[in-house]
Amino acid sequence: MRSQRPSPMQPPPDEVRRAPSAAVAEDTHWSRPECQAWTGMLLLGTCLLYCTRVTMPICTVAMSEDFGWNKKEAGTVLSSFFWGYCLTQVVGGHLGDRIGGEKVILLSASTWGFITIATPLLTCLGSAHLAYMTFSRVLTGLLQDLVLALGILVQDLPMARPSKVPWRQLFRKPSVWAAICSQMSSACSFFVLLSWLPTFFKETFPHSKGWVFNVVPWLVAIPASVFSGFLSDYLISQGYRVITVRKFMQVMGLGLSSVFALCLGHTTSFLKAMVFASASIGLQTFNHSGISVNIQDLAPSCAGFLFGVANTAGALAGVIGVCLGGYLIEATGSWTCVFNLVAVISNLGLGTFLVFGEAQRVDLRPTHEDL
């Protein structure tokens, strides 16, 4: 019996088998224009996001004087954003995994932008300014993902078949808990500084220019963040282990930044305070090349969900940290305790990540291999 040979017009069987997987692999790679467009849009979106977050900390200084808020009441308003923010992290991350991040970004950005524009109008509604401001900030945080979920239910948008999240497998790994704890610490320490630095500078250096201390630290953060990304990629390309690079970035983002935060509470010089604040905020951006991408290392198949869990923990810690900062200032009359709080929180997360942090995948089934 003669063996059958493939027709000249037909590819060999092994090539036929490879064709679908090759096509899928090809479809997963973006073109250069797509990468450039997405990078530009994500940069713009991130800038707008932080503009929205920082408006209340800056305005709280003047609003506290106009409405007679003490530090406890100001802390309530400053932390209220995270009350709503923490409730939709897991939902938003899971939706991003299922239907794509572009839909999440579009509707969430439109929503928080509209509420930010409408917030000043609430001061004209009555005398309950504290309640109105608190409500608007809770709503800003809450509607960042919730609106998309409701829109999907109402409009019956097509959704991809949900992938099964390996809950038990993920949360049995110490490296996952280390990532969650480190993200919680980095988010909390950042939120405390974000919320209270404008008030600190205004009260400690009353004759200083607001545009200086409200702008300079965040301008420093831009090149610091870009540099941390380039440095991380360079070290990995030079052969350093991924987890070594991740931990180094966290040493910079949590360890060294907390040292400069401590220095803020022990200076009477405006220039030194600006240097310390800029260094602390700038170094915290190194966390983006550390713990933020470590979650992708651990579970790329459900990174949105896992980051949602970690960021929920960070938002909850931010609520407690910002409120606690207001109570400490009101009780002691000193800003040193706030910066000590930042240092303690940062180093607890850093220590946990240094001991238990890993970069090996944990979302694979036992029958699979990490190639």
Side-chain angles (χ1 to χ4, degrees), residues 23 32 51 130 180 234 310 319 356:
R32 187 175 183 84
C51 286
L130 183 65
I180 292 173
Y234 174 77
V319 172
F356 299 106

Side-chain angles (χ1 to χ4, degrees), residues 128-354:
H129 305 108
L130 183 65
Y132 290 144
M133 291 300 104
T134 301
F135 174 74
S136 69
R137 296 300 285 177
V138 171
L139 202 59
T140 300
L142 180 66
L143 291 179
Q144 284 191 0
D145 298 308
L146 182 57
V147 165
L148 179 60
L150 293 176
I152 292 171
L153 294 176
V154 173
Q155 300 177 20
D156 193 25
L157 295 179
M159 296 180 67
R161 183 179 180 84
S163 57
K164 188 175 182 180
V165 177
W167 302 82
R168 295 181 180 179
Q169 185 176 341
L170 287 178
F171 294 115
R172 285 176 179 172
K173 303 293 185 180
S175 57
V176 171
W177 287 106
I180 292 173
C181 290
S182 186
Q183 174 65 22
M184 180 173 63
S185 297
S186 62
C188 182
S189 58
F190 177 77
F191 290 152
V192 172
L193 291 177
L194 173 73
S195 299
W196 286 113
L197 273 181
T199 306
F200 162 74
F201 274 103
K202 186 63 177 179
E203 293 189 353
T204 307
F205 309 101
H207 301 295
S208 59
K209 299 294 185 181
W211 67 268
V212 176
F213 59 75
N214 285 326
V215 173
V216 172
W218 308 104
L219 287 180
V220 173
I222 297 174
S225 181
V226 175
F227 172 74
S228 71
F230 278 116
L231 178 61
S232 176
D233 291 341
Y234 174 77
L235 292 175
I236 292 175
S237 69
Q238 293 301 305
Y240 288 92
R241 296 178 61 213
V242 173
I243 188 57
T244 301
V245 176
R246 303 294 187 240
K247 290 182 177 181
F248 171 72
M249 292 296 163
Q250 289 305 107
V251 169
M252 302 292 288
L254 288 177
L256 188 56
S257 68
S258 67
V259 173
F260 286 104
L262 284 174
C263 294
L264 272 172
H266 298 85
T267 183
T268 57
S269 167
F270 175 72
L271 179 60
K272 290 182 179 179
M274 283 299 306
V275 172
F276 296 150
S278 300
S280 184
I281 294 296
L283 286 168
Q284 286 210 358
T285 64
F286 279 62
N287 294 322
H288 301 323
S289 300
I291 186 58
S292 295
V293 289
N294 180 243
I295 292 176
Q296 181 75 17
D297 299 331
L298 296 175
S301 67
C302 51
F305 162 78
L306 186 56
F307 188 81
V309 172
N311 222 27
T312 297
L316 289 172
V319 172
I320 298 172
V322 174
C323 286
L324 182 58
Y327 277 94
L328 290 174
I329 299 169
E330 192 71 22
T332 65
S334 172
W335 284 95
T336 303
C337 57
V338 175
F339 301 120
N340 291 341
L341 176 66
V342 170
V344 170
I345 293 171
S346 297
N347 285 282
L348 283 175
L350 175 61
T352 303
F353 188 69
L354 291 179

